[in-house]
């Protein structure tokens, strides 16, 4: 089983729709969580950190469920420019920091 | 300000050759990470430096891979006796600390023929 799992998609939704995807992690020692966005043939860029209480940044909302070991990303009023791959990132603190990326969820917004 | 830079942007080499990939992190960032990304996959952790020392090299696939950061700034990833399976995009990221946002460079696309 992968340490961080994501539905690869693609999610193909119309502009203006709301879309959500989850990411599950297996290591209960995971301590910090992030969503990164990666455009085709570009480097990943931080979209938002994920806090225990949940957090919102404009049209984007991130949630963490430690009991069930998953994080989620909700995008409201989706724009064409939201088309990208969304990477779930988990930071596990053991003897040293270990950063684990999911394989990503592809999102395509159609006009 | 300047972001993370990586050179070369593309590297084509033959099986069995030695390659060096360079990463210039953002000035002042103490943490530096190397990842490898294959098509359709997320970045795979290779090694993490805190200052000059490798704090975690558990992601290096085998002893053909080695990385250094002698002065706590620029880092070089070295791959000996390259194999076709080493072909991937090698990404470098830097961060002010271990639990902060990582800033990625544009990557080096390595192709081993």
């Amino acid at each position: 089983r992968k340490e961080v799992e994501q539905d690869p998609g693609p999610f193909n939704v119309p502009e203006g729709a709301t879309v959500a995807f989850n990411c599950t992690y297996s290591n209960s020692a995971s301590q910090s969580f992030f969503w990164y966005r990666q455009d085709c043939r570009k480097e990943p860029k931080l979209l938002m950190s994920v806090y225990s209480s949940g957090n919102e940044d404009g049209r984007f909302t991130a949630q963490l469920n430690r009991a069930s070991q998953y994080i989620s990303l909700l995008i409201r009023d989706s724009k064409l420019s939201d088309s990208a791959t969304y990477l779930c990132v988990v930071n596990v603190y053991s003897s040293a920091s270990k950063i684990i990326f999911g394989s990503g969820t592809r999102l395509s917004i159609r006009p | 300000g300047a972001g993370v830079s990586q050179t070369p942007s593309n590297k084509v080499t033959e099986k069995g050759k030695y390659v060096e990939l360079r990463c210039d992190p953002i000035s002042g960032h103490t943490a530096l990470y190397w990842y490898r990304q294959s098509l359709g996959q997320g970045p795979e952790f290779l090694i993490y430096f805190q200052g000059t020392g490798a704090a975690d090299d558990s992601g290096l696939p085998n002893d053909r891979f080695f990385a250094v950061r002698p002065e706590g700034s620029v880092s070089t990833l070295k791959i000996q006796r390259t194999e076709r399976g080493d072909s991937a995009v090698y990404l470098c990221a830097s961060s002010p600390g271990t639990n902060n946002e990582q800033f990625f460079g544009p990557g080096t696309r390595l192709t081993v023929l």
Side-chain angles (χ1 to χ4, degrees):
Chain A
R1 183 187 171 193
K2 289 183 180 178
E3 291 189 82
V4 177
E5 294 203 65
Q6 296 184 249
D7 182 340
F11 285 64
N12 189 330
V13 303
E15 196 174 6
T18 296
V19 61
F21 18 88
N22 287 344
C23 164
T24 59
Y25 59 95
S26 61
N27 193 327
S28 58
S30 301
Q31 295 194 5
S32 54
F33 309 86
F34 307 88
W35 282 103
Y36 275 72
R37 171 195 168 124
Q38 186 171 28
D39 293 294
C40 188
R41 291 187 167 261
K42 297 288 188 180
E43 69 272 22
K45 292 185 179 178
L46 180 69
L47 178 66
M48 58 197 302
S49 302
V50 186
Y51 302 120
S52 296
S53 55
N55 48 301
E56 189 174 305
D57 182 1
R59 298 181 293 107
F60 298 85
T61 300
Q63 297 277 355
L64 165 64
N65 185 318
R66 286 192 183 272
S68 300
Q69 295 186 195
Y70 75 84
I71 67 172
S72 63
L73 179 67
L74 178 81
I75 306 175
R76 289 183 300 278
D77 187 24
S78 53
K79 311 291 185 191
L80 296 175
S81 58
D82 294 334
S83 297
T85 295
Y86 291 83
L87 298 163
C88 167
V89 182
V90 173
N91 191 344
V92 181
Y93 287 100
S94 53
S95 58
S97 179
K98 184 176 178 182
I99 310 289
I100 306 169
F101 279 74
S103 297
T105 297
R106 278 178 52 208
L107 174 65
S108 179
I109 308 297
R110 63 180 188 271
Chain B
V4 178
S5 62
Q6 292 185 246
T7 54
S9 54
N10 281 282
K11 176 71 176 178
V12 180
T13 191
E14 293 179 342
K15 181 175 178 293
K17 299 290 188 183
Y18 168 82
V19 296
E20 288 190 353
L21 311 180
R22 177 187 167 110
C23 172
D24 278 90
I26 292 172
S27 177
H29 280 192
T30 57
L32 185 146
Y33 303 81
W34 282 100
Y35 297 88
R36 176 169 70 174
Q37 187 172 26
S38 301
L39 193 63
Q41 299 296 314
E44 173 194 10
F45 170 79
L46 296 177
I47 186 170
Y48 151 62
F49 288 90
Q50 183 61 246
T52 59
D56 185 352
D57 64 357
S58 62
L60 295 177
N62 51 59
D63 61 6
R64 295 186 298 106
F65 289 74
F66 189 70
V68 295
R69 194 186 185 200
E71 297 177 358
S73 178
V74 170
S75 177
T76 304
L77 178 66
K78 309 180 181 192
I79 310 173
Q80 298 177 319
R81 304 184 303 281
T82 51
E83 299 177 357
R84 291 195 181 88
D86 298 335
S87 297
V89 175
Y90 288 80
L91 293 163
C92 173
S94 72
S95 173
T98 57
N99 198 25
N100 301 103
E101 174 184 0
Q102 293 185 41
F103 295 83
F104 281 82
T108 293
R109 184 173 298 277
L110 176 65
T111 303
V112 182
L113 301 177

